[in-house]
Amino acid sequence: MGSYKWKYKALDGLTYHILGKGMITRYLNEFILKEWQADHEDHPDQPWTVAWMSALEKLKFSLQRVPMDGISLRQDLMCYQTPEYNFQESLNRRVAEREESYFRGVSFEPLLIDGRNMQLMDGYSRYQVLLKHNHSIVYAYVGE
């Protein structure tokens, strides 16, 4: 596991912990890609995981300020459920946990967005908390 130098930046009343440009790709490959690979093993029927893993290899990410109303969600993910798993129920639990951190002033990680279509790739619970608390602009690692 690599070591990272975090910077703390405020935007729209919220503090984010962010990485410099040279560390973003390494971080995404070390943590986010591994999370998606595990998700794919657990749920091989989820097409977004495969699409995101493929996109991660092709995109160069940079920190950007992004308007919340410009971010799109994967509707197939938002509606995903099986007899054993319901994404919305899981998301609601994670949002409640994240909101508690929000009220305690814990810093947020930037969202992860595919800049080709402005689709949210990672950070659905963070996104929901930011939306609920009327944040109009957020920090995101945007892939181009």
Side-chain angles (χ1 to χ4, degrees):
M1 297 271 192
S3 60
Y4 297 94
K5 293 185 181 188
W6 301 97
K7 296 179 185 174
Y8 294 88
K9 282 185 143 182
L11 178 65
D12 198 21
L14 182 67
T15 300
Y16 292 82
H17 53 274
I18 61 172
L19 293 167
K21 193 173 188 175
M23 290 186 268
I24 296 170
T25 299
R26 186 174 58 136
Y27 173 79
L28 295 177
N29 286 325
E30 186 172 343
F31 292 101
I32 303 302
L33 181 59
K34 286 181 183 177
E35 179 182 319
W36 290 342
Q37 289 168 335
D39 287 348
H40 182 59
E41 286 180 25
D42 292 342
H43 303 282
D45 62 322
Q46 298 177 345
W48 50 86
T49 308
V50 174
W52 292 339
M53 287 188 297
S54 175
L56 196 62
E57 297 172 359
K58 299 172 185 142
L59 300 174
K60 295 198 183 296
F61 289 86
S62 63
L63 181 70
Q64 297 180 26
R65 293 175 181 214
V66 176
M68 283 288 285
D69 62 4
I71 300 171
S72 66
L73 307 178
R74 280 205 58 135
Q75 291 309 308
D76 55 349
L77 170 58
M78 296 300 291
C79 298
Y80 180 79
Q81 65 181 42
T82 68
E84 300 82 30
Y85 178 79
N86 181 312
F87 179 77
Q88 277 294 329
E89 289 176 4
S90 172
L91 179 63
N92 291 340
R93 283 190 299 275
R94 291 181 289 127
V95 167
E97 292 170 5
R98 177 69 61 179
E99 190 171 33
E100 184 177 315
S101 296
Y102 176 88
F103 288 131
R104 290 180 40 227
V106 174
S107 63
F108 270 37
E109 181 176 332
L111 301 175
L112 185 61
I113 296 175
D114 183 334
R116 300 171 299 182
N117 55 15
M118 295 307 289
Q119 183 180 90
L120 185 61
M121 299 170 76
D122 185 71
Y124 277 73
S125 62
R126 294 187 307 273
Y127 173 87
Q128 294 296 328
V129 170
L130 295 166
L131 188 65
K132 182 177 180 179
H133 293 283
N134 302 309
H135 288 268
S136 59
I137 191 161
V138 297
Y139 275 127
Y141 297 130
V142 179
E144 307 284 350

